[in-house]
Amino acid sequence: MTDEDVDAALAGVGPRLRHLRSRRRLTLTDVSERTGISVSTLSRLESGVRRPSLDLLLPLAKVYRVPLDDLVGAPQSGDPRIHPKPVRRDGMIYIPLTRQTSGVQAFKLILPPRQEDARIVQRVHEGYEWIYVLSGTLHLALGDNLTTLVAGEAAEFDTRTPHAIASADQQPVEVMALFSPQGERIHIRDS
């Protein structure tokens, strides 16, 4: 890698940082409070006035929940494998199956067992989602409708509709999910 390559990679860090912050709807002050990096330093990083260093990029990668490679635009190593790091959120385990943090994202979800009378809390957000049940029985709540899906069944829906997924019984459920934050539908083409 030449000095020009390094300079070009570092020049792209500022716009990436600004894009990540804006996608997460955070202010410079929000990021400053979470990282301990001053607002002026964050501003200079985003505008390209300050050269990024590892001690600044590591806490930013953590706050934005992206690999350090994504911040600096590191070239691919040639290894196509993805090394997912499971995340536990709202009782579910999310396993990311794609590297990119924008566009269509793939996840494996493991939903915990659920008591029959437990309430399913619905959410609304921008995007479109496609789910495929790998094992177990799933309840998909879409507005006032409750659909039960079993292994081998799939569903797709606009996430602007109130929705939630949960185990339909006292067994865990494994689900493959594709999510498009831009609201694009998944298209399957016949060969």
Side-chain angles (χ1 to χ4, degrees), residues 12-13 23 36-37 42 48-49 84 89 96-97 99-100 120 122-123 133 139 149 157 163 167 169 175 181:
V13 171
R23 273 196 61 221
I37 301 169
L42 291 169
V49 173
R89 189 179 324 144
L97 302 175
R99 284 189 183 108
Q100 75 268 10
I120 299 175
Q122 296 182 345
R123 296 178 44 213
V133 180
H139 273 163
L149 300 160
F157 54 93
H163 64 281
S167 173
D169 52 36
V175 176

Side-chain angles (χ1 to χ4, degrees), residues 37-55:
I37 301 169
S38 73
V39 170
S40 64
T41 297
L42 291 169
S43 176
R44 291 192 321 263
L45 279 172
E46 286 188 5
S47 65
V49 173
R50 172 137 186 197
R51 188 174 174 104
S53 61
L54 197 54
D55 60 325

